Amino acid sequence: MRRDDRAPKPDAPVYEGAERLQKVLAAAGVGSRRACEDLIFRRRVTVNGRVAQLGDRADPTRDVIYVDGERLQADTRLVYLALNKPRGVVSTMADEKGRAALSDFLGNRVEQRVYHVGRLDADSEGLLLLTNDGTLAHRLMHPSYGVPKTYLCEVAGPIPRNLGKRLAAGVELEDGPVKVDSFKVVDSLGKSAQVELTLHEGRKHIVRRLLAEVGHPVARLVRTSIGPIRLGDLRAGRTRRLTNAEVAALFKAVGD
């Protein structure tokens, strides 16, 4: 059992920074204070594993709060962003060689210092997550949590019918075997094709190396999702803040 999941004893201390629970929920964007009071009254809120009651207080920086069974990140100091990384941008917040980097797309819109979750090589595009929540970032990147990532790739065609089965069975690379969770051909244009594959590997250039090994080198690679978070119609070079539901889904994806 993880430390955060242990329910406190009934006489657990109220932290100095604790506020009325409905105020904490409202500040986190759950709804108006009146609506949050109703959620508490209907026993839909738990704090540190216990069903909350009207009049309870909570510290958003320490207490673990769930609403309708979904983890709520109530600490307003924490930032969760999705970025559509353009091609040619390196996956670092700042680059000593002066190349375009991730911080170039944040401007002055984010006061907190954030870090990227995982990487995309400079020639690849698509979804990156940026956050200052170190615990969640670590779990999203750690292979033991098995968070899947989906990629849309333009590759050399034509695609043989058995390629999906071959990739699902596993392909041996120089640093060990790899297999996909899913694979499908999105479009086939003779000498080129678009394919979509999902895997939970995090090794360097793993998608490019895998497809090159089976004879279909990648001309373009776009990451379209990380766990429950999808790129959607986010334009290249743009960022957006994740919703409460998306953050809760990320916690769920890593078993929290």
Side-chain angles (χ1 to χ4, degrees):
M1 182 176 287
R2 291 184 296 275
R3 177 176 55 82
D4 284 350
D5 290 335
R6 291 201 298 262
K9 296 179 181 179
D11 59 350
V14 176
Y15 300 119
E16 184 177 344
E19 300 177 300
R20 290 279 186 179
L21 181 55
Q22 60 264 39
K23 181 179 179 182
V24 173
L25 297 178
V30 174
S32 67
R33 289 197 192 183
R34 181 68 62 86
C36 293
E37 288 176 355
D38 187 61
L39 288 172
I40 298 168
F41 176 76
R42 294 177 183 276
R43 301 173 62 86
R44 293 166 60 183
V45 181
T46 64
V47 179
N48 298 329
R50 297 188 303 175
V51 176
Q53 300 178 3
L54 288 172
D56 283 356
R57 303 172 74 85
D59 182 344
T61 68
R62 299 191 186 191
D63 291 319
V64 179
I65 302 172
Y66 281 77
V67 178
D68 289 336
E70 293 189 342
R71 173 79 177 265
L72 175 70
Q73 184 46 265
D75 188 349
T76 55
R77 300 172 304 174
L78 295 178
V79 177
Y80 306 88
L81 301 170
L83 166 68
N84 186 348
K85 186 191 88 67
R87 191 170 188 168
V89 176
V90 294
S91 289
T92 58
M93 297 310 297
D95 183 62
E96 60 184 14
K97 297 180 180 179
R99 295 172 295 181
L102 303 180
S103 60
D104 296 336
F105 301 95
L106 297 179
N108 298 319
R109 298 188 301 276
V110 180
E111 296 180 359
Q112 298 89 336
R113 186 178 182 183
V114 296
Y115 305 89
H116 56 285
V117 178
R119 304 175 67 87
L120 282 171
D121 62 70
D123 289 332
S124 298
E125 311 161 51
L127 183 62
L128 276 175
L129 301 181
L130 306 174
T131 184
N132 57 353
D133 187 335
T135 300
L136 180 61
H138 170 74
R139 292 179 180 180
L140 288 171
M141 290 186 290
H142 200 283
S144 66
Y145 289 93
V147 177
K149 303 173 185 67
T150 299
Y151 302 85
L152 184 64
C153 303
E154 183 179 329
V155 301
I159 304 298
R161 290 187 177 183
N162 68 340
L163 182 59
K165 290 183 178 180
R166 183 180 175 189
L167 294 175
V171 176
E172 190 70 33
L173 301 179
E174 67 273 13
D175 54 352
V178 59
K179 60 183 179 179
V180 303
D181 299 328
S182 66
F183 174 87
K184 70 177 180 179
V185 178
V186 177
D187 196 9
S188 183
L189 303 172
K191 293 185 178 180
S192 67
Q194 283 191 345
V195 299
E196 181 184 85
L197 65 158
T198 299
L199 68 169
H200 52 268
E201 283 273 5
R203 284 178 276 169
K204 189 173 182 180
H205 304 311
I206 189 67
V207 174
R208 292 181 181 275
R209 292 192 290 130
L210 171 62
L211 291 173
E213 180 67 24
V214 295
H216 300 279
V218 174
R220 185 184 181 192
L221 183 151
V222 181
R223 183 156 63 198
T224 57
S225 71
I226 299 174
I229 310 303
R230 298 185 179 279
L231 182 63
D233 58 0
L234 185 65
R235 292 169 57 188
R238 297 294 182 90
T239 63
R240 68 172 180 83
R241 290 183 181 268
L242 300 187
T243 65
N244 284 336
E246 287 177 317
V247 175
L250 283 176
F251 279 114
K252 195 175 207 178
V254 297
D256 199 352

